[in-house]
Amino acid sequence: MLTLLSGTNRPGNTTRKVVAHVEAIYRSLGVTPVIVDLLELPLEAFTPGSYANKPASLQPFLDRILAATGLVVVTPEYNGGFPGALKYFIDLLPFPQSLQARPVCFIGVAAGEWGAIRPIEQLQGLFLYRNAWLYPEKVYIRQCMKVIDSDGNLLDEEISKRLRSQAEGFLRFLAQHGCKA
Ligand SMILES: Cc1cc2nc3c(=O)[nH]c(=O)nc-3n(C[C@H](O)[C@H](O)[C@H](O)COP(=O)(O)O)c2cc1C
């Protein structure tokens, strides 16, 4: 099972539009991904007691990470980093099985010039620390307001090509590691 993680809970976020585009690419390659959208996290997941006692409403989100034979993390750039909501969600994941030996690849989305290089570098450090298997080809979407319109259409052919190339490569990477998408 391939899981796409939409890494922010900001209403109306552009990251989710990119996730929809990536989902369509994988479907065209014969794989039907499932999505974990942090905007859909139940409010009770944010109560301090959730670290120790996970609310039942959170479990479907955790399950879609635990069952992922491949994980695509799509993160925006917030203050030169990845969103606090994404870190919080990662901190709620069962340890160590959630990320250990989990194949993962990254896509960054930013309004600015740097296309979320910094958040992806930070995430790589975190996922390496947790012994995930990192697929090396990243996609950085800079100046996302110019590249993605309000309906979520991707206007830049080059970004489209990079996303498709990453998806094809990630599926090969999964096959090489004996993981069925
Ligand atoms: C709290 C916050 C901080 C942000 N910080 C940055 C930043 O450091 N660099 C940048 O390029 N864009 C920054 N942005 C703009 C986002 O990159 C922009 O909103 C983009 O659409 C991706 O985020 P989204 O998925 O929430 O839409 C920030 C946005 C928010 C909401």
Side-chain angles (χ1 to χ4, degrees), residues 17-71:
K17 296 184 174 98
V18 172
V19 168
H21 193 81
V22 172
E23 180 187 19
I25 290 174
Y26 278 104
R27 281 179 185 271
S28 76
L29 296 172
V31 172
T32 304
V34 298
I35 293 173
V36 171
D37 183 349
L38 297 189
L39 183 53
E40 293 172 359
L41 278 182
L43 259 188
E44 58 181 345
F46 291 90
T47 56
S50 292
Y51 288 104
N53 300 306
K54 310 271 186 293
S57 57
L58 178 64
Q59 198 56 46
F61 295 83
L62 306 180
D63 287 344
R64 278 173 270 165
I65 303 295
L66 289 164
T69 48
L71 178 63

Side-chain angles (χ1 to χ4, degrees), residues 8 10-16 75-81 83 109-116 118 143-145:
T8 175
R10 188 180 75 81
N13 68 81
T14 302
T15 297
R16 184 63 182 80
T75 182
E77 176 160 351
Y78 289 176
N79 292 306
V109 184
E113 274 300 317
W114 304 105
R118 286 167 289 226
Q143 296 191 330
C144 63
M145 311 312 191

Side-chain angles (χ1 to χ4, degrees), residues 138-166:
K138 279 85 66 181
V139 179
Y140 304 105
I141 303 178
R142 64 189 186 95
Q143 296 191 330
C144 63
M145 311 312 191
K146 292 186 185 165
V147 173
I148 299 155
D149 70 17
S150 52
D151 294 326
N153 298 306
L154 196 45
L155 308 173
D156 186 319
E157 190 53 35
E158 182 56 34
I159 299 289
S160 241
K161 272 193 213 159
R162 286 182 199 171
L163 289 172
R164 175 166 282 273
S165 161
Q166 185 197 53

